[in-house]
């Protein structure tokens, strides 16, 4: 039911966009448990799906690469405030202040930052930590829900101050069925020799470093263009960088 409720119109539109003569049979029916388990096996990944049932309960399913499925119900009563407020304050603690063209860089209160990120870690990761892979290179695919899409999962910290990205290779996806659709399309493109899109070091925006001051041009991302070009050479394609990114995407 959690999968069934996730943006059916988006999934059907995605299937239509991905469909070709040989992939016209892409399915948009809700997935049974057996297919979800098979997707985890195909991706050789641990899938973690969250579902906010109400303001008091969070459901978490973990599907391991071997198909084993576990479930946790997490109470939100101990937070003492709505989960959305905790997510927003955690984003604020790492300098994220909403979305849009106006970006303001602010000084970070590091003790508060750690406390906020650890609260989210204890809520979202700690209850399922025993089900996650111990190999940092093993992929963990996270399927958020509602305000959890705004959680900076990679930056979450455990009680020892270790970031989640240090312990796991993370991927974020809108639903398990989207994984299935894109995986089917990728198999088709690989079979047909389709090109791979590589993007790196786009032209950066102008931002205000402090309130009241005019915006300044952000410098290029260190090493991002070299990384994109190196990956593109491995995949026999050409990376899009700089102004080419803003012109195309």
């Amino acid at each position: 039911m959690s999968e069934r409720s996730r943006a059916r119109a988006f999934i059907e539109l995605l299937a239509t966009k991905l469909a070709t003569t040989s992939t016209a049979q892409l399915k948009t029916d809700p997935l049974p448990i057996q297919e979800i388990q098979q997707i985890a096996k195909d991706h050789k990944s641990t899938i973690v799906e969250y579902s906010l049932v109400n303001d008091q309960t969070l459901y978490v399913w973990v599907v391991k690469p071997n198909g084993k499925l576990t479930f946790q119900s997490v109470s939100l009563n101990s937070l003492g405030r709505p989960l959305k407020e905790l997510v927003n304050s955690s984003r604020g603690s790492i300098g994220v202040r909403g979305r849009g063209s106006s970006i303001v860089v602010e000084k970070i209160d590091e003790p508060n930052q750690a406390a906020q990120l650890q609260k989210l870690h204890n809520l979202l990761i700690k209850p399922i930590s025993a089900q996650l892979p111990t190999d940092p290179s093993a992929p963990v695919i996270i399927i958020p829900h509602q305000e959890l899409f705004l959680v900076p999962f990679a930056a979450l910290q455990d009680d020892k101050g270790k970031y989640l990205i240090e312990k796991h290779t993370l991927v974020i996806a809108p639903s398990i069925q989207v994984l299935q659709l894109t995986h089917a399309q990728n198999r088709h493109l690989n079979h047909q020799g389709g090109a791979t899109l590589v993007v790196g070091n786009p032209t950066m925006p102008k931002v205000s470093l402090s309130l009241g001051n005019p915006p300044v041009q952000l410098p290029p991302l260190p090493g991002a263009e070299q990384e994109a070009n190196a990956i593109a050479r491995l995949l026999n394609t050409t990376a899009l960088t700089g102004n080419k990114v803003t012109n195309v995407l």
Side-chain angles (χ1 to χ4, degrees):
M1 291 304 297
S2 175
E3 268 296 302
R4 183 188 290 268
S5 67
R6 290 173 187 265
R8 298 303 312 164
F10 169 71
I11 291 173
E12 292 170 4
L13 177 63
L14 180 62
T16 301
K17 294 292 186 181
L18 293 178
T20 63
T21 302
S22 60
T23 59
Q25 301 303 315
L26 289 173
K27 295 192 302 181
T28 59
D29 295 332
L31 300 174
I33 293 294
Q34 293 80 5
E35 286 194 37
I36 290 175
Q37 292 169 315
Q38 186 60 49
I39 291 170
K41 294 177 182 178
D42 291 342
H43 285 265
K44 300 178 181 178
S45 303
T46 299
I47 299 176
V48 179
E49 178 158 309
Y50 294 96
S51 183
L52 288 164
V53 180
N54 48 49
D55 292 335
Q56 299 177 333
T57 308
L58 173 68
Y59 289 165
V60 192
W61 292 269
V62 179
V63 189
K64 293 187 175 183
N66 61 8
K68 182 180 179 181
L69 175 67
T70 59
F71 168 77
Q72 290 280 345
S73 178
V74 181
S75 173
L76 303 178
N77 293 331
S78 61
L79 291 179
R81 55 174 169 166
L83 176 60
K84 187 174 183 177
E85 289 185 12
L86 175 59
V87 172
N88 288 337
S89 63
S90 298
R91 287 166 56 82
S93 73
I94 60 174
V96 179
R97 298 290 183 182
R99 292 178 288 180
S101 59
S102 177
I103 302 174
V104 178
V105 179
E106 299 179 356
K107 185 177 179 180
I108 294 174
D109 181 352
E110 293 187 3
N112 176 61
Q113 178 191 78
Q116 298 290 337
L117 297 175
Q118 286 175 2
K119 282 183 181 179
L120 275 178
H121 184 280
N122 290 340
L123 177 71
L124 301 175
I125 304 300
K126 192 173 182 178
I128 59 170
S129 59
Q131 307 302 324
L132 300 181
T134 56
D135 181 1
S137 65
V140 175
I141 302 174
I142 295 177
I143 315 291
H145 189 221
Q146 297 181 4
E147 55 261 38
L148 295 184
F149 274 100
L150 298 178
V151 170
F153 279 94
L156 301 188
Q157 289 180 294
D158 62 18
D159 295 336
K160 297 179 180 179
K162 196 166 186 177
Y163 292 106
L164 190 62
I165 193 62
E166 296 181 88
K167 301 168 68 175
H168 304 291
T169 298
L170 301 177
V171 178
I172 308 295
S175 75
I176 296 175
Q177 192 161 14
V178 168
L179 286 177
Q180 180 203 41
L181 294 175
T182 54
H183 187 62
Q185 180 69 0
N186 286 339
R187 286 200 305 266
H188 169 69
L189 290 177
N190 290 335
H191 178 71
Q192 297 295 324
T196 301
L197 175 65
V198 180
V199 178
N201 192 25
T203 299
M204 300 298 289
K206 292 183 178 181
V207 303
S208 297
L209 297 179
S210 60
L211 293 175
N213 289 335
V216 297
Q217 181 71 47
L218 287 179
L221 298 172
E225 188 164 334
Q226 292 91 328
E227 292 172 356
N229 287 330
I231 293 171
R233 285 194 295 271
L234 292 173
L235 299 173
N236 296 318
T237 187
T238 301
L240 298 179
T241 60
N243 289 332
K244 292 180 180 179
V245 179
T246 56
N247 291 336
V248 175
L249 298 182

